[in-house]
Amino acid sequence: MILRPYERTIFKRYLLPQRGEGFIFVAAAFSFTAVMLGVAALVIVMSVMNGVRSDLFDKIVGLNGHAVVQGFGGRIDDWQDVLKQARATPGVVSATPLIEQPLLGTYSGRVEGILVRGMTVPDIRKNETLNGKVLQGSLNSLTSGSGNVAIGSELARNLGATVGSNLTIINPAGRSTPFGTVPREISYRVSAIFEIGVYDFDKAYVVMPMEDAQLLLLTGDQVQMIEVKTTNPDKVGEILQPLAEKVAAKAVVSDWRSMNASLFEALSIERVAMFVILSLIILVASFNIISSLIMLVRAKTRDMAILRTMGAPRDSVMRIFMAIGLSIGIAGTIAGMVVGFSLLYFRQGVLRGVEFLTGQPLWDPSIRFLTELPSKPDPVEITAIVIMVIVFSFLATLYPAYKAANTDPVQVLRYE
């Protein structure tokens, strides 16, 4: 908003507290603080919500793919042909044969439920989710017939296992004997410990070469599913439609939406709800701006009357008070952005400090899925927040500015 030189002078004089106007200044300070806290809360919450969704998507979809081709009965016999068809489908980036089976793992007298994941050796080494997540050992030691496996960090912690420990995996569906089914037990050497960052994965996953998994489960040359990654996760259904038609007689194609529908839908609903709720803080701050401007108008009624008698037009008076209200909103927005991004940058330290003071765990990985509090600011959302605050601040100035501009000099100065 462009102000004339005399309007800028009056604007600066009214924006700073004068003698006997302390209450007006306090009201304006509360307005500024409310805007700052509202903006900071919106920036922090929306960035954290985006970070949670992004991390979950990257880690869950990164490990499980954008879709899986799963055979009826949990088995794909001619999986090599299906694998070729998947890789030949336009829009498919990669296709990986997999075996996943919940079993039991035991070490040093401790027993934990595990999820055995069998992958080909090249797929293990080039998996983006596993690479760079190894805390101890190396994935290069996982070769066919070596008896080596990689386990999640939480599973290692629960079992007390380290690199070099011998983990015994129990398959209850073992071989049939005249005396009944005998569980199959095979000992494997832990050669790597990884931490993906998703608690449910880190507490259960045991990664091993495909051939070792087939031997453990007695499946022969079969796989349970083929993991598929595409060029566009949002159009995975459209991309894989031709493949789904080709394998309809022996397998079904499930994408990441159907496999994690409830989780991502809940996150989307919570994200919208939090934005609406926290926007009410900005609305309350706008009412504070209205009240502080109304008090300022009442305190400066005589000044406005004199200004009008000197020839100042109504729009000049309106601009002065609108500029005051907008300056409070803009200053609060800038301060809120600084506070919000500062807290996001130091979020782990702030989280640990609050946990220390309260004595309560605020980010339990077993409940939150993720091991750390994520953050991912969205420039579009940040821009929308800034525009919303400025619009609310502008609307809040209209009524007080209109009342100030319509001050009747005759009525005000009649008894002066």
Side-chain angles (χ1 to χ4, degrees):
M1 182 178 293
I2 300 176
L3 299 178
R4 301 183 180 95
Y6 76 91
E7 293 173 350
R8 286 197 297 271
T9 302
I10 299 173
F11 161 77
K12 293 177 183 178
R13 182 178 179 84
Y14 285 1
L15 193 60
L16 299 176
Q18 304 295 318
R19 182 178 298 177
E21 298 174 354
F23 186 74
I24 298 175
F25 175 74
V26 170
F30 277 128
S31 302
F32 166 82
T33 305
V35 173
M36 179 187 69
L37 294 178
V39 171
L42 274 172
V43 169
I44 293 171
V45 171
M46 299 309 296
S47 298
V48 169
M49 294 292 292
N50 288 335
V52 170
R53 186 184 186 281
S54 178
D55 268 25
L56 284 175
F57 182 84
D58 291 343
K59 292 172 180 177
I60 292 177
V61 176
L63 192 62
N64 296 320
H66 299 155
V68 293
V69 181
Q70 191 161 14
F72 297 129
R75 295 288 186 272
I76 303 179
D77 295 326
D78 55 341
W79 60 271
Q80 291 90 347
D81 294 335
V82 178
L83 184 63
K84 291 179 182 178
Q85 292 176 339
R87 289 174 175 172
T89 303
V92 172
V93 176
S94 65
T96 305
L98 292 178
I99 291 178
E100 279 193 356
Q101 183 68 34
L103 297 174
L104 293 175
T106 177
Y107 171 74
S108 188
R110 301 180 184 179
V111 180
E112 291 287 336
I114 63 174
L115 187 63
V116 170
R117 184 180 179 90
M119 305 170 64
T120 64
V121 173
D123 289 333
I124 292 175
R125 294 179 180 176
K126 68 182 182 182
N127 186 278
E128 296 178 357
T129 304
L130 292 175
N131 284 332
K133 304 296 183 180
V134 177
L135 303 180
Q136 301 177 31
S138 172
L139 295 177
N140 293 329
S141 59
L142 271 67
T143 57
S144 299
S146 64
N148 292 332
V149 297
I151 66 176
S153 58
E154 291 296 328
L155 178 61
R157 187 176 295 111
N158 293 337
L159 290 174
T162 59
V163 171
S165 301
N166 290 321
L167 172 68
T168 300
I169 298 180
I170 303 172
N171 178 13
R175 294 186 181 274
S176 297
T177 70
F179 302 99
T181 301
V182 178
R184 186 175 178 80
E185 298 183 12
I186 300 180
S187 180
Y188 296 91
R189 178 181 178 273
V190 177
S191 63
I193 297 176
F194 58 83
E195 184 174 43
I196 297 173
V198 179
Y199 182 82
D200 286 357
F201 291 173
D202 292 332
K203 77 172 183 178
Y205 267 99
V206 175
V207 178
M208 64 174 59
M210 176 72 70
E211 293 79 6
D212 292 353
Q214 291 173 336
L215 180 62
L216 171 65
L217 300 174
L218 302 173
T219 60
D221 189 20
Q222 296 177 335
V223 300
Q224 292 179 342
M225 66 188 75
I226 294 176
E227 171 194 280
V228 180
K229 291 186 178 180
T230 63
T231 54
N232 189 344
D234 295 325
K235 296 183 178 180
V236 62
E238 179 182 339
I239 293 173
L240 297 181
Q241 182 61 33
L243 177 63
E245 295 174 355
K246 292 179 183 178
V247 301
K250 51 189 171 184
V252 61
V253 178
S254 302
D255 61 33
W256 65 272
R257 288 192 184 91
S258 59
M259 292 187 292
N260 304 281
S262 57
L263 174 61
F264 286 104
E265 183 178 354
L267 287 174
S268 298
I269 294 174
E270 185 177 2
R271 182 166 166 267
V272 174
M274 292 302 295
F275 183 85
V276 173
I277 293 172
L278 293 175
S279 295
L280 295 178
I281 300 178
I282 307 297
L283 188 60
V284 172
S286 300
F287 284 111
N288 287 340
I289 293 175
I290 293 176
S291 61
S292 61
L293 284 181
I294 289 176
M295 287 188 291
L296 182 61
V297 169
R298 291 183 64 85
K300 302 298 183 180
T301 300
R302 182 172 176 274
D303 293 1
M304 291 300 101
I306 295 174
L307 192 63
R308 289 292 310 283
T309 57
M310 295 175 64
R314 284 188 173 89
D315 65 313
S316 180
V317 177
M318 285 195 67
R319 277 199 299 272
I320 293 172
F321 285 94
M322 289 173 67
I324 294 173
L326 278 174
S327 64
I328 295 174
I330 293 173
T333 301
I334 295 173
M337 299 281 281
V338 172
V339 172
F341 285 117
S342 298
L343 291 176
L344 285 175
Y345 184 79
F346 298 103
R347 62 188 181 279
Q348 292 300 138
V350 172
L351 186 64
R352 286 192 291 267
V354 175
E355 288 178 341
F356 176 77
L357 292 175
T358 61
Q360 297 294 327
L362 300 181
W363 190 263
D364 187 350
S366 62
I367 300 175
R368 308 291 184 180
F369 297 105
L370 301 175
T371 54
E372 291 187 353
L373 179 66
S375 171
K376 186 180 180 181
D378 185 352
V380 175
E381 286 184 351
I382 300 300
T383 302
I385 292 171
V386 171
I387 293 174
M388 180 183 67
V389 176
I390 293 177
V391 169
F392 279 3
S393 301
F394 172 76
L395 294 177
T397 64
L398 293 180
Y399 177 73
Y402 174 79
K403 293 295 292 183
N406 284 276
T407 301
D408 187 353
V410 176
Q411 295 294 330
V412 175
L413 301 176
R414 174 177 295 177
Y415 302 105
E416 294 293 333

